[in-house]
């Protein structure tokens, strides 16, 4: 996808990591972000936390809105369809299971109002507080993140291999490498029997790094199947709609390989 110079981002909910998220967006030099934060958390509390994190928006445009995203009317008045990205963050003011329950309700309401990202709707990222709730959460095309689970894996890897710390810092840094889902058609791989080695060569020719494949409607449940770092001799027949998971870096006019 082409790099959007101006991006509207809607953050639903509030916790202590939101100031860090805003600070990260502030550091992106090639994009301008117009951010709206909607939460039941009082605006003065949010602004106080931003001051405590030494964050003052300069490049991004920031607007605070008081709302309860589990109420259909309030969510509808926010006009979520006009945003490019929507992020649900887990509340730090209530128990984690209750926070995930609110997130589930809000996400269901949002999906009733919006088309999916594949149909031109906003891309939706959901933060859950507990990995145990993953099985009961219908993604409906949204991406789901469980920070405690992710951080535990990262900490374990760094404990075993300290040199990986610089890799993670680069991966999660501002304007560092990003993970994209790109159509197999962009690499001329539709209706071809290929190994992951073939995929890696095709992606490298575009100055990108192959991480895996997303096979549409292939799992036993009929859902997408995502394979990360499969054996290089693993083979598939890639079909229309399948995607490759690639790692690339945005630059001013193109993406370059890590």
């Amino acid at each position: 996808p082409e790099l959007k110079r101006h991006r509207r981002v809607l953050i639903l909910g509030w916790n202590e990591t939101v100031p860090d998220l805003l600070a990260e967006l502030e550091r992106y030099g090639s994009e301008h972000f117009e951010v709206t934060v909607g939460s039941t958390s009082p605006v003065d509390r949010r602004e106080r936390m931003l001051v405590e994190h030494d964050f003052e928006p300069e490049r991004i445009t920031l607007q605070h809105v008081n709302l309860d995203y589990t109420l259909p009317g309030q969510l509808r008045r926010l006009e979520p369809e006009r945003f490019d990205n929507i992020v649900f963050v887990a509340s730090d003011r209530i128990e984690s299971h209750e926070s995930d329950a609110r997130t589930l309700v809000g996400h269901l309401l949002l999906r009733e109002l919006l088309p999916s990202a594949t149909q031109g709707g906003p891309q939706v990222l959901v933060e859950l507080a507990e990995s145990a709730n993953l099985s009961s959460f219908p993604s409906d095309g949204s991406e789901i993140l469980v920070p405690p689970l992710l951080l535990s894996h990262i900490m374990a890897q760094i404990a075993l291999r300290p040199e990986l710390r610089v890799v993670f810092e680069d991966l999660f840094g501002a304007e560092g490498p990003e993970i994209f889902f790109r159509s197999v058609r962009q690499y001329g791989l539709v209706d071809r029997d290929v190994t992951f080695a073939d995929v890696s060569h095709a992606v490298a020719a575009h100055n990108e790094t192959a991480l895996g494949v997303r096979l549409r409607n292939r799992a036993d449940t009929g859902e997408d199947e995502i394979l990360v770092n499969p054996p290089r001799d693993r083979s598939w027949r890639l079909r229309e709609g399948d995607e490759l998971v690639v790692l690339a870096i945005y630059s001013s006019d193109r993406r370059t390989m890590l």
Side-chain angles (χ1 to χ4, degrees):
E2 294 294 328
L3 174 65
K4 295 195 66 170
R5 301 298 180 183
H6 184 90
R7 190 183 299 272
R8 292 187 177 92
V9 179
L10 172 62
I11 299 176
L12 294 173
W14 181 267
N15 61 32
E16 61 181 9
T17 68
V18 174
D20 294 325
L21 171 60
L22 296 175
E24 186 77 8
L25 297 178
E26 180 79 19
R27 287 195 287 268
Y28 275 72
S30 55
E31 292 181 270
H32 173 75
F33 294 92
E34 182 181 325
V35 182
T36 300
V37 181
S39 170
T40 57
S41 178
V43 173
D44 59 349
R45 175 177 180 263
R46 302 181 224 168
E47 293 177 340
R48 186 170 60 253
M49 289 183 66
L50 293 177
V51 172
E52 292 172 352
H53 282 75
D54 296 322
F55 175 75
E56 183 175 349
E58 295 180 359
R59 296 194 68 258
I60 71 173
T61 303
L62 179 61
Q63 177 187 13
H64 289 285
V65 177
N66 270 319
L67 66 83
D68 184 346
Y69 59 72
T70 64
L71 299 179
Q74 294 190 22
L75 188 60
R76 186 180 298 108
R77 283 193 293 272
L78 203 55
E79 298 181 272
E81 66 278 0
R82 64 188 177 94
F83 292 90
D84 300 297
N85 300 81
I86 300 176
V87 182
F88 283 91
V89 297
S91 174
D92 57 2
R93 302 182 67 189
I94 56 180
E95 296 292 334
S96 58
H97 65 275
E98 183 179 346
S99 174
D100 284 352
R102 285 179 52 81
T103 300
L104 174 60
V105 172
H107 182 263
L108 289 174
L109 291 175
L110 181 71
R111 280 306 179 198
E112 290 182 358
L113 299 175
L114 294 178
S116 66
T118 57
Q119 297 173 326
Q123 294 183 335
V124 180
L125 174 65
V126 180
E127 177 191 23
L128 293 182
E130 295 184 359
S131 58
N133 295 321
L134 274 170
S135 59
S136 60
F137 195 95
S139 64
D140 293 330
S142 302
E143 302 295 337
I144 304 175
L145 184 68
V146 186
L149 183 63
L150 177 63
L151 290 174
S152 65
H153 283 292
I154 292 176
M155 292 177 64
Q157 291 200 42
I158 293 177
L160 295 172
R161 297 180 58 189
E163 67 272 16
L164 289 178
R165 175 178 175 179
V166 294
V167 176
F168 287 118
E169 287 178 346
D170 196 38
L171 285 172
F172 295 111
E175 297 195 357
E178 299 187 30
I179 296 175
F180 300 89
F181 290 105
R182 300 193 65 192
S183 170
V184 296
R185 177 167 292 281
Q186 296 178 261
Y187 303 91
L189 299 177
V190 176
D191 295 328
R192 287 182 53 186
D193 293 314
V194 297
T195 64
F196 189 61
D198 297 327
V199 169
S200 298
H201 290 307
V203 171
H206 289 249
N207 290 327
E208 299 169 349
T209 304
L211 299 182
V213 297
R214 173 192 259 176
L215 305 175
R216 294 289 190 177
N217 304 318
R218 305 287 184 86
D220 294 337
T221 60
E223 297 181 352
D224 296 348
E225 182 178 7
I226 299 179
L227 304 172
V228 178
N229 195 27
R232 292 181 64 81
D233 59 355
R234 177 81 179 271
S235 63
W236 315 268
R237 171 166 283 271
L238 297 178
R239 306 185 306 210
E240 188 71 48
D242 290 343
E243 295 175 314
L244 303 183
V245 186
V246 301
L247 187 68
I249 300 174
Y250 274 137
S251 61
S252 57
D253 58 353
R254 63 185 177 89
R255 287 163 297 182
T256 55
M257 183 175 64
L258 172 64

